Amino acid sequence: MKSHQTTQSMKPATAAKKLGVYLPATPAEFQEGVVTRAELNEMQANPPAWLSELRENGPHPRPVVAAKLGVSIAGLARGGVTDALTTEQIEALKAEMPEWLQKERATQAEVRKEGARLKKRDAERAQQKPQH
C-alpha cells in the first residue's frame, strides 16, 4: 500500500488567527480562499506587504490588543473594548490610561504573580518528593 501526503489546508479565519491578524482587514482573496500549511509557513517566513502592514498598524484582533495593553481579553470586554483597534488607538489608550485600564493591568499583574507563586510552589514540592 502506497501512502501519499495530503495537503493540509485551513479556513481563512484559522489562518488569520495563526498569523495574529484581524480577518476582516485582510485582502479579499485571503478571506475567500483556503490556506495550505505550506502557504501559511511561507507567509510567516516572508510576510507579504499587506501582512506586515496589518501586524504593524492594525486593526488588531482582540488577543493582540489585550497583549499590547497588558490585560486579559475579558478585561478588554469589562473596559468596553469589543472591536479591533489600530496601533494608533492602542497607543492613545496607553497615553490616556483610563481607570479601567489601570485596574485591569493591576489585575493582570496579580494573576501573573499568583501564577509564578504556584509554579515555584509546585517545583519545590516536586523536589521534596522521594525518588523511587
Side-chain angles (χ1 to χ4, degrees):
M1 200 150 101
K2 197 164 132 184
S3 69
H4 60 283
Q5 190 171 1
T6 58
T7 305
Q8 274 189 318
S9 63
M10 61 194 85
K11 294 178 183 176
T14 304
K17 193 176 210 176
K18 289 180 181 288
L19 292 169
V21 294
Y22 185 56
L23 180 62
T26 61
E29 61 269 10
F30 181 84
Q31 293 180 40
E32 294 163 4
V34 291
V35 180
T36 65
R37 174 69 58 192
E39 288 170 336
L40 179 74
N41 291 341
E42 178 61 27
M43 280 190 252
Q44 288 174 323
N46 301 302
W50 64 265
L51 180 55
S52 297
E53 174 69 19
L54 275 180
R55 285 179 168 170
E56 189 172 326
N57 299 314
H60 304 287
R62 286 180 305 150
V64 175
V65 173
K68 286 180 180 270
L69 289 174
V71 300
S72 66
I73 294 173
L76 278 182
R78 286 190 292 271
V81 178
T82 56
D83 296 328
L85 298 179
T86 63
T87 300
E88 189 177 310
Q89 291 169 316
I90 293 167
E91 292 305 318
L93 264 177
K94 285 181 180 177
E96 184 184 316
M97 197 56 78
E99 188 178 327
W100 72 265
L101 183 54
Q102 293 174 34
K103 182 180 172 200
E104 291 301 334
R105 279 182 152 187
T107 299
Q108 193 70 4
E110 286 298 316
V111 167
R112 285 190 193 107
K113 188 173 160 185
E114 178 65 5
R117 184 190 72 77
L118 293 174
K119 188 175 181 181
K120 182 180 176 189
R121 180 201 69 189
D122 293 346
E124 288 170 355
R125 285 182 179 173
Q127 284 179 342
Q128 292 172 358
K129 281 187 179 177
Q131 302 296 320
H132 293 293

